[in-house]
């Protein structure tokens, strides 16, 4: 295999070296004084540069929603996509001088839209003479310097990720994505960029990439036995001193990990999911962290390092290309080296600019293909169904997900040791705008019902465990006393619980008494018209995110796995609709659960 630049990067990284010195030669910037040291009243040498950052792009190139097949819009009128980001990047480079800027990303790049799905599954980049991934094309055109690996990079398997890596003109970094056998980094851990200054000595900027330990759980089917993912803090503690000893003047971490210090996977692995703040606090020698994974907006946040007392600046730009982070660094030449005197950050909103025609032209054909694909008719529906009220009512559209999942699991277990057990199913209201229209149903209608690339599993649970599971789920509702008015706008998402962490379970009947405190809300839990037997065994059809501990629901992650497959649930739904030809809610819709207060239904 010829050792091209990228293979060299990968092999040297695997050998524990993992260094790529890349020039970013800079023109003298007029604002930077030409002093030569402190003597004779001359001003000290100074140099400033800017690092731009994106994260959680999730396959968004165009300001387009493939699930609705129209321009993206939300309540705040945010825009999405790399075409918008490209315009902002060009503006910043014009203002600062291109050679005084770097461009990085914090992961979750190749999953999330039908555009990214199409080039992983329908016209895969891994095919012989296959296409170049649209995200690689766009990011290469923009001129990224590095990107950290996100957990969703692994959703389509390692071969798709390796092909994407090969197609990128920049390294994918993951200092804590290790080969399971050698325990050496399986990707380049870092890259070192040289910024040319007007004063002779270059500024060496190290970018260290860290990814999410949750990959070991969430994508077990793809990474089990192949890669392991230790904690961010321990790998940063190993690499930051090494980067400093190699002469790095500035150390930036690109971390696919939120700032909060929390985990959704409980105690299943000993590492923290959202560890960016902990890295800043515990590992000396870091100047800035580009934060990802949590889909939050953090323009500028300072964390004090416990050992040095030095402040580290953290920033997280909003997902899907809605924001661009700018880290500004001011350096001064002191005692023969460059020292960071000041570092700060801000975010720019991509809705303030037009899409860059360079990017939209580059990918116009890919966009057209995907729009045609999502508009294929796969069947018909006898009535319109919507998720508009599914967060507080048992709606037929969620029953549709559950009937598809339950039937798929029943068929998979048929003839085996567990074939006689009842099959229940869990589903969430992922989007409050999903709908199945009356009449023709397209791929985009069915896919919009399940926007995540989750796969399906079957787990063995008891009646008692299911009761705990439902109690945990019911924390989603704000406690509302009997007789008090109910405002649906304020009823849900208690303690910031997202819609996707509220599960409705079909195959049982139960009430959720929202007047009661958490832990004692599930009332009249029955199976086939009789109170549930705590010892009875049930099969739960459950998505892999939930089964692997996502959302930290009780019992399910530790429950016996009876079956699993790697087919995305949304494709199973699409195939189900195609096979049936017609969707008739009257055949599967049933009210299994309702909200009550002291026995009186809320709706």
């Amino acid at each position: 295999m010829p050792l091209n630049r990228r293979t060299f990067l990968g092999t040297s990284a695997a050998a524990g070296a993992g260094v790529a010195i890349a020039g970013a030669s800079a023109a003298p910037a007029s604002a930077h004084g030409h002093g030569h040291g402190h003597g004779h009243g001359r001003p000290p040498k100074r140099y400033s540069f800017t690092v731009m950052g994106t994260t959680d792009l999730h396959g968004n190139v165009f300001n387009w929603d493939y699930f609705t097949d129209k321009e993206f819009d939300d309540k705040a009128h945010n825009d999405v996509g790399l075409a918008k980001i490209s315009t902002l990047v060009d503006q910043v480079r014009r203002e600062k001088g291109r050679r005084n800027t770097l461009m990085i990303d914090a992961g979750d790049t190749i999953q999330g839209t039908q555009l990214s799905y199409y080039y992983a599954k329908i016209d895969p980049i891994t095919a012989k003479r296959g296409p170049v991934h649209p995200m690689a094309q766009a990011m290469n055109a923009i001129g990224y310097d590095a990107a950290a690996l996100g957990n969703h990079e692994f959703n389509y398997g390692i071969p798709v990720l390796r092909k994407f890596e090969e197609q990128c003109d920049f390294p994918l970094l993951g200092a804590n994505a290790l080969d399971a056998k050698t325990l050496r980094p399986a990707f380049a851990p870092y890259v070192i960029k040289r910024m040319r200054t007007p004063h002779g000595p270059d500024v060496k900027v190290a970018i260290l990439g860290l990814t999410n330990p949750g990959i070991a759980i969430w994508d077990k089917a793809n990474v089990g036995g192949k890669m392991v993912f230790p904690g961010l803090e321990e790998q940063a503690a190993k690499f930051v001193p090494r980067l400093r000893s190699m002469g790095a003047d500035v150390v930036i971490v690109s971390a696919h990990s939120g700032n909060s210090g929390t985990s959704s996977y409980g105690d299943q692995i000993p590492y923290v999911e959202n560890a960016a703040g902990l890295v800043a606090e515990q590992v000396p020698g870091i100047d800035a962290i580009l934060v990802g994974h949590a889909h939050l907006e953090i323009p500028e946040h300072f964390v004090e390092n416990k050992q040095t007392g030095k402040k580290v600046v953290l920033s997280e730009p909003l997902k899907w290309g809605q924001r661009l982070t700018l880290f500004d660094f001011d350096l001064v030449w002191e005692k023969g080296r460059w020292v960071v005197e000041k570092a700060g950050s801000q975010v720019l909103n991509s809705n303030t600019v037009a899409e860059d025609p360079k990017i939209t032209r580059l990918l116009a054909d890919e966009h057209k293909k995907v729009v045609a694909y999502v508009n294929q008719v796969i069947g018909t529906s006898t009535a319109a169904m919507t998720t508009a009220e599914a967060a507080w009512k048992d709606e037929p559209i969620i029953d549709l997900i559950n009937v598809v999942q339950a039937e798929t699991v029943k068929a998979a277990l048929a003839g085996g040791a567990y074939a006689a057990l009842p099959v229940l199913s869990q589903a969430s209201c992922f989007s409050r705008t999903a709908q199945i229209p009356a009449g023709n149903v397209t791929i985009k209608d069915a896919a919009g019902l399940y926007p995540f690339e989750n796969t399906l599993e079957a787990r063995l649970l008891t009646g008692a465990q299911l009761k705990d599971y439902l109690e945990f789920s019911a924390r989603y509702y704000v406690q509302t006393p009997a007789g008090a008015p109910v405002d649906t706008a304020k009823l849900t998402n208690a303690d910031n619980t997202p819609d996707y962490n509220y599960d409705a379970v079909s195959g049982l009947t139960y009430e959720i008494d929202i007047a009661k405190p958490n832990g004692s809300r599930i009332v009249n839990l029955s199976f086939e018209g009789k109170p549930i037997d705590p010892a009875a065994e049930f099969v739960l059809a459950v998505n892999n995110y939930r089964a692997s501990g996502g959302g930290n629901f009780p019992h399910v992650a530790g429950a016996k796995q009876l079956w699993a497959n790697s087919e995305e649930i949304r494709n199973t739904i699409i195939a189900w609709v195609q096979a049936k030809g017609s969707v008739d809610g009257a055949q599967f819709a049933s009210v299994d659960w309702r909200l009550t207060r002291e026995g009186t239904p809320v709706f």
Side-chain angles (χ1 to χ4, degrees), residues 478-503:
V478 173
Q479 189 173 358
T480 313
V486 174
D487 176 359
T488 54
K490 296 179 182 151
L491 176 63
T492 61
N493 309 99
D495 293 325
N496 295 321
T497 304
D499 291 348
Y500 62 75
N501 275 343
Y502 170 65
D503 286 359

Side-chain angles (χ1 to χ4, degrees), residues 18 26 36 54 78 115 127 177 204 220 223 239 270 286 290 303 333 392 429 456 509-510 517 540 556 565 569 595 601:
H36 295 278
T54 50
N78 287 302
L115 179 73
K204 282 184 178 174
K220 198 189 211 162
V223 300
F239 279 97
I286 296 167
L290 178 66
V303 173
W333 182 259
W392 55 87
C429 174
L456 190 59
T509 55
Y510 58 97
L540 182 65
V556 66
N565 77 353
I569 291 167
L595 302 187

Side-chain angles (χ1 to χ4, degrees), residues 447-530:
L449 188 52
Y450 215 108
F452 296 104
E453 257 86 5
N454 295 342
T455 58
L456 190 59
E457 297 195 10
R459 296 280 177 131
L460 187 65
L461 291 171
T462 65
Q465 289 175 325
L466 283 159
K467 169 112 175 4
D468 289 347
Y469 187 100
L470 291 170
E471 286 287 8
F472 183 88
S473 185
R475 303 182 319 162
Y476 171 74
Y477 295 106
V478 173
Q479 189 173 358
T480 313
V486 174
D487 176 359
T488 54
K490 296 179 182 151
L491 176 63
T492 61
N493 309 99
D495 293 325
N496 295 321
T497 304
D499 291 348
Y500 62 75
N501 275 343
Y502 170 65
D503 286 359
V505 174
S506 74
L508 301 167
T509 55
Y510 58 97
E511 293 169 20
I512 300 171
D513 189 333
I514 57 170
K516 292 196 157 98
N518 284 339
S520 56
R521 291 181 167 179
I522 302 299
V523 185
N524 297 330
L525 177 58
S526 307
F527 173 67
E528 292 184 339
K530 295 190 198 73

Side-chain angles (χ1 to χ4, degrees), residues 58 78 118 121 139 170 206 253 389 423 503 533 561 586 591:
H58 284 287
N78 287 302
Y118 189 88
K121 295 283 200 174
M139 292 170 88
F170 50 90
V253 174
E389 298 188 321
V423 177
D503 286 359
D533 175 357
Q561 185 191 69
V591 178

Side-chain angles (χ1 to χ4, degrees), residues 33-46:
H34 287 257
H36 295 278
H38 295 268
H40 316 297
R42 286 179 178 171
K45 299 176 193 174
R46 295 186 182 281

Side-chain angles (χ1 to χ4, degrees), residues 287-420:
D287 294 294
I289 302 182
L290 178 66
V291 177
H293 183 62
H295 291 199
L296 297 172
E297 182 174 340
I298 306 173
E300 182 182 63
H301 174 63
F302 290 96
V303 173
E304 191 173 301
N305 183 272
K306 280 187 170 162
Q307 264 169 274
T308 63
K310 204 189 110 180
K311 292 217 175 344
V312 184
V313 63
L314 278 67
S315 178
E316 180 174 11
L318 201 56
K319 65 183 189 291
W320 307 345
Q322 295 178 56
R323 304 288 183 274
L324 176 70
T325 280
L326 303 188
F327 289 107
D328 289 306
F329 297 94
D330 296 330
L331 279 67
V332 63
W333 182 259
E334 261 175 25
K335 299 182 186 143
R337 52 182 288 253
W338 287 108
V339 177
V340 175
E341 193 174 49
K342 187 165 166 271
S345 63
Q346 56 173 307
V347 295
L348 304 182
N349 192 331
S350 68
N351 74 6
T352 59
V353 294
E355 292 187 315
D356 184 345
K358 172 181 84 202
I359 304 294
T360 53
R361 274 200 302 270
L362 178 70
L363 292 161
D365 290 350
E366 287 83 342
H367 178 65
K368 268 199 208 93
K369 269 186 198 163
V370 175
V371 168
Y373 162 74
V374 299
N375 283 296
Q376 288 175 39
V377 173
I378 52 170
T380 58
S381 175
T382 54
M385 296 185 275
T386 161
T387 54
E389 298 188 321
W392 55 87
K393 282 184 188 171
D394 186 349
E395 292 283 14
I397 196 164
I398 305 295
D399 293 337
L400 173 61
I401 300 174
N402 277 326
V403 75
V404 172
Q405 292 183 162
E407 283 186 11
T408 304
V409 166
K410 271 179 195 147
L413 297 180
Y418 299 95

